[in-house]
Amino acid sequence: MSDLLKSSPLNSQPLKSNSMKTVLLVGAPNSGKTTLYNWLTGSRFKTVNYPGATIEYSVGELRAQLIKNKNTNSDLSGPFQIIDTPGIYSVNPQSEDERITLSLLKSEVMPYQKVLLVIDVTQIKRQFILAQQLIQSGCNVTIVLTMNDLLKKHKKNIQIQPIEKYLKKLTHQNIEILLFDGLFAEGLMQIAENILKTTSQVSCYKAETNRQTYDQTTTDLKKIAQFIDDEVFIESLTPADQKNQVLQQTLKIDHYLLHPFFGYVFFITMMTLFFAAIYWVSAPIMDLIDGQMSSLAELTKNSISGLLGEFLADGVITALAGVVIFIPQIFILFFGIGLFESTGYLARVAVLVDGPFRKIGLGGRSFVPLLSGFACAVPALMATRNISSKKERLIAQMIIPFMSCSARIPVYGLMIGFLFADKSPILAGFAMAALYLTSIVVGILASAALSKILAGQAFKSEFGKEKSTLAMDLPLYRRPRLQNIMTQSIEKSKSFIKKAGPVIAVLAIVLWFATTFPKSDIEGDIKTTYAMQIANAIEPVFKPMGLDGRVGFALLASFAAREVFVSSLALSVQAGEIDDDNQTPLLEKMAQITFADGTKIFTLASVLGVLIFFVIATQCLSTVGVLKKESGGWRWALIQLIGSNIIAYTLAVIVVQVVQILS
Amino acid sequence: MNPKYILKEFSQDPDNTELVQKLVGLGLYPGLQFSIVQKIGFSSVTIIQFDQTLVALNQREFACLIY
C-alpha cells in the first residue's frame, strides 16, 4: 500500500528519454536530495532522517512555476525531468541501491545532461570527495550545498570562493556552487536558473577516467579535510561548547536511548505504546464513522427502492464502510512511523538491534525494511536493497510478509472489537499490541530457521563467503516537523483509499451479485445464491478453524486484498441471515450467526484462529510479485506464499481445537 | 570528554577490502582523529565520532581500524 520508504519510479512520472533534458540529483545518503527534489518538482515524497531512505530513483518534472518566472533563452530552457537517486558515498557501490545510482551516472538507464551534486554542508569534509570523483570522470556537475541553516546553528560560515578555486585548480573547470536551505527553499530560484541554463550536451560518468585506488582516495580525503579546515569555514568567536550544541545534545540523548539496558527498555515500551495507541486513539473516531456509514446505508435503502437501493446500501456502502472506518488507525500508524523517522531515532534502533538481530541471521540494516513492513510489504521489500549481504537480504525479504501490514488492521480491529471493545478498551489496545508482537515473534522464528537452512551445505556456494555490514551514519537528532508528518500521513492514508477503493468497488459488485443471485422463488430465501453455494462447498475446509462456509468465503475473498475481508464478511453473513434486518452492525451480526446446529460461529476460539491465520499467512499477491522480483525468481516467492499459508492454516486449526477443548 | 584516537591505518587483511572501501566512503582515513562514543548492542556495535559525524560500526568493521 504505502510508500513509507521513498518510492519507485512506478509511483512517479515515467522517464522521458527523448523530449526532455534530464538532471540527476546525486549525493550521500541523508544529504537533502529528496527535500530538494520535492521543492523542484512539487512532489511530496517523504524525506526521512536515516541513511538509505531512497531505494529507487524517482522522476518528476521541474515545476512550471520555476520555469515561468525566468526569462531564459528559449534555446536553452525547455522541459526538464529531475531524477532523485539513492544516496552514495563514493563511486564504489556496496549495495543494490548504490548500484542503481552508478548505473544512472553511467547513462545505462538513459542519457542525462547534468548532475546536481547535493552535499550536506555540515558533512562537506567527507562528502566533497564525491564532487571530485564525478567532475574528474567527466560529469557536468553543479554543487548544491544543503543544511546551511544547521551550519549557522554551529556558528560557522562557509566561504564558497575557495571551493570554486580549489575545484578549478584540480579539474580546470568552472564549477558552480549554490547554497540551499530545505526548510524555507532559500536558494531554490538560483538552482532553477542553473537547471534552465543546461544545454542539450549529454553528460556521462566515464569509469575508466576515475579508477581511484584506495590510497588515492584516502590521500584525497586528507587533502580535502585540510583544505576545508584551513580555507572554507570561518568560525565565529563563540565558546567551543556552543558550536557543537546540536552534537552535544545528540550525544546526551544517545546516552539514554542507546543505553545497554535502558535503551532496549525504552525501545520496547515505545513500540508497545505505539501499536496499542493505534487502537486507543482511533476508537472514538471509528465509532463516529461507523454510525455515519450505517445511517447513510439506511437512508440510501429507504430513498432508493428496489434492486438499485439494495445494491448501493448492501453492496457499495457496506463494502466502502469496511475500509473507510479503518482510516484513523492507518493514519495513526503512518503518523507514528513518521515521528520515529524524522527525529533520527530509527537509525539508532537499527544500531541497537544489530547485536540481537545477528543471532537470527539478520543485521541492524534489516530493521528499517522490517519496520516499513508494518505499513506495507511492497516498499519494505524494495528497501532491502540497502542491505549489502545477499543472505541477510534474502532472510529479511522472506520475513517481511510476516510483519503486520496496514491492510491487516481492519481485520485485527474487527476481531479485537468483537472480543474486547465493550468490556475493556484498554485491554483491546494491548491485544492489538500483542498481535503486532506475535507477528514479530513469528518473524524471529522464521528468520532463525532460515538462517540455519541457508548456512547449510546446500547453500554454501551461494552464501558461503558473505560478510554482513552495518557501517552507517547516525544523523543528529532533529525536532520533527509535525506539519510535514501530518501532510505525509494524510497523503498515505489517501493512497490507501485510492489503492483499496477500486478493488473494493469491483469486489463489492461481484460479492453483491454473488450474494443476491440467482433469486429464489420464495421471497427472502437466498440459500440458492452463488455465494451460499460456494460457501457450502468450501465449508469442510474451514470447519476445523471453527468457521462456516460464509466466513470461509470472506477469507477466500481476502486473497485479493486483505482489507476486503471485512466487507466480504459483512455481505456474506448478512446473506445467510434472511430473517434479520440487514442493517444490523457487523459486530452484532457476528455475535448472532450460528452453524446449522445452533452453535455460535464467532467464539474466542474461532476469532483466535482467524487472527492467527491473518498474522501468518501471505495473502497479498502484489507482495508475492515484488518478492519474486527482489529475490531473483519464483523459488523463494512461492516458498513464502505456500509455506506461510500452510503454517498459518495448521496453527489456526491447532489453536482453535485446543481452545475449544479447554473451554 | 571521550579520549581521542588517531586512525593509524586500516587492516591489511585482503578479506576486508570491501569493508575498508565502505569505511573510506564514510569519510574515515589514516590520520583522522576520532573518539569512541559508545558501545552498544551487547558490545557488538561501536559508535565513533569525528567532526560533526557519528558513525556506527559492527565488530568486524571496527576491527578494521588500527589506532
Side-chain angles (χ1 to χ4, degrees), chain B residues 2-65:
Chain B
N2 297 306
K4 302 258 183 201
Y5 302 98
I6 303 277
L7 175 60
K8 287 182 190 158
E9 57 177 327
F10 292 110
S11 153
Q12 301 293 319
D13 186 344
D15 277 357
N16 290 334
T17 312
E18 276 193 17
L19 287 184
V20 171
Q21 266 184 2
K22 178 97 188 165
L23 296 175
V24 172
L26 280 165
L28 291 152
Y29 56 86
L32 179 79
Q33 198 177 45
F34 71 97
S35 55
I36 297 170
V37 174
Q38 230 165 340
K39 279 190 182 276
I40 51 169
F42 307 101
S43 291
S44 68
V45 179
T46 307
I47 299 175
I48 62 166
Q49 182 216 326
F50 51 95
D51 299 319
Q52 295 286 320
T53 306
L54 294 171
V55 171
L57 304 171
N58 69 18
Q59 273 174 329
R60 188 178 287 130
E61 289 154 352
F62 187 66
C64 289
L65 309 184

Side-chain angles (χ1 to χ4, degrees), chain A residues 36-141:
Chain A
L36 178 58
Y37 174 81
N38 286 346
W39 279 112
L40 287 171
T41 61
S43 305
R44 285 177 175 178
F45 281 129
K46 197 166 194 169
T47 52
V48 295
N49 194 15
Y50 63 79
T54 309
I55 37 80
E56 255 287 14
Y57 58 83
S58 306
V59 190
E61 277 186 40
L62 185 64
R63 276 197 293 169
Q65 282 167 296
L66 296 173
I67 299 172
K68 278 177 196 163
N69 290 344
K70 295 291 136 204
N71 295 319
T72 36
N73 182 331
S74 59
D75 291 339
L76 294 176
S77 64
F80 284 87
Q81 62 180 356
I82 314 290
I83 300 183
D84 182 18
T85 63
I88 51 168
Y89 287 108
S90 72
V91 287
N92 300 314
Q94 303 273 323
S95 56
E96 289 302 310
D97 53 339
E98 291 175 353
R99 280 184 197 104
I100 291 170
T101 301
L102 200 69
S103 156
L104 281 160
L105 281 167
K106 287 179 175 174
S107 295
E108 287 170 357
V109 179
M110 62 168 304
Y112 62 92
Q113 281 70 32
K114 174 172 277 183
V115 171
L116 276 188
L117 178 64
V118 182
I119 292 178
D120 172 354
V121 74
T122 64
Q123 303 291 328
I124 190 169
K125 269 195 214 176
R126 60 198 191 109
Q127 292 182 7
F128 193 74
I129 183 116
L130 194 55
Q132 198 169 309
Q133 289 173 339
L134 291 181
I135 297 164
Q136 286 178 333
S137 70
C139 292
N140 174 19
V141 175

Side-chain angles (χ1 to χ4, degrees), chain A residues 305-523:
Chain A
S305 58
L307 214 55
L308 180 65
E310 267 179 50
F311 169 66
L312 290 175
D314 299 339
V316 178
I317 296 174
T318 308
L320 284 179
V323 172
V324 172
I325 197 171
F326 296 101
I327 291 175
Q329 291 187 335
I330 287 156
F331 173 82
I332 292 163
L333 176 81
F334 287 125
F335 190 82
I337 292 178
L339 266 183
F340 285 130
E341 284 171 351
S342 59
T343 53
Y345 182 58
L346 269 196
R348 266 71 187 180
V349 179
V351 169
L352 208 56
V353 300
D354 186 72
F357 268 31
R358 297 252 164 256
K359 298 187 194 318
I360 54 166
L362 292 167
R365 279 185 175 268
S366 313
F367 176 76
V368 172
L370 289 174
L371 185 71
S372 311
F374 286 110
C376 177
V378 171
L381 283 166
M382 292 166 71
T384 58
R385 292 173 192 177
N386 193 232
I387 305 167
S388 51
S389 156
K390 214 166 134 190
K391 183 180 160 193
E392 257 180 55
R393 193 162 63 237
L394 179 64
I395 296 174
Q397 285 167 352
M398 293 292 278
I399 66 166
I400 278 172
F402 293 127
M403 302 300 114
S404 284
C405 68
S406 53
R408 281 152 161 141
I409 288 180
V411 183
Y412 291 176
L414 183 72
M415 294 298 153
I416 290 173
F418 179 80
L419 288 180
F420 299 108
D422 292 339
K423 296 162 201 159
S424 168
I426 292 178
L427 208 59
F430 281 119
M432 182 68 103
L435 283 173
Y436 279 95
L437 189 68
T438 308
S439 71
I440 293 168
V441 171
V442 170
I444 290 171
L445 294 175
S447 176
L450 259 172
S451 175
K452 285 252 185 264
I453 293 166
L454 296 179
Q457 208 61 32
F459 297 97
K460 207 167 183 180
S461 58
E462 214 172 328
F463 303 110
K465 284 191 169 178
E466 287 272 315
K467 280 188 180 171
S468 66
T469 58
L470 173 71
M472 65 191 291
D473 276 318
L474 293 182
L476 302 183
Y477 285 111
R478 286 185 207 155
R479 191 172 296 154
R481 291 173 194 159
L482 291 179
Q483 200 186 341
N484 283 3
I485 300 171
M486 186 72 89
T487 313
Q488 283 155 359
S489 306
I490 291 169
E491 287 294 316
K492 284 176 186 308
S493 304
K494 272 190 202 165
S495 102
F496 173 83
I497 299 294
K498 273 185 199 162
K499 192 188 164 197
V503 179
I504 288 159
V506 171
L507 278 175
I509 296 167
V510 172
L511 287 171
W512 176 80
F513 185 83
T515 52
T516 308
F517 298 104
K519 289 210 174 243
S520 166
D521 295 337
I522 308 161
E523 197 182 336

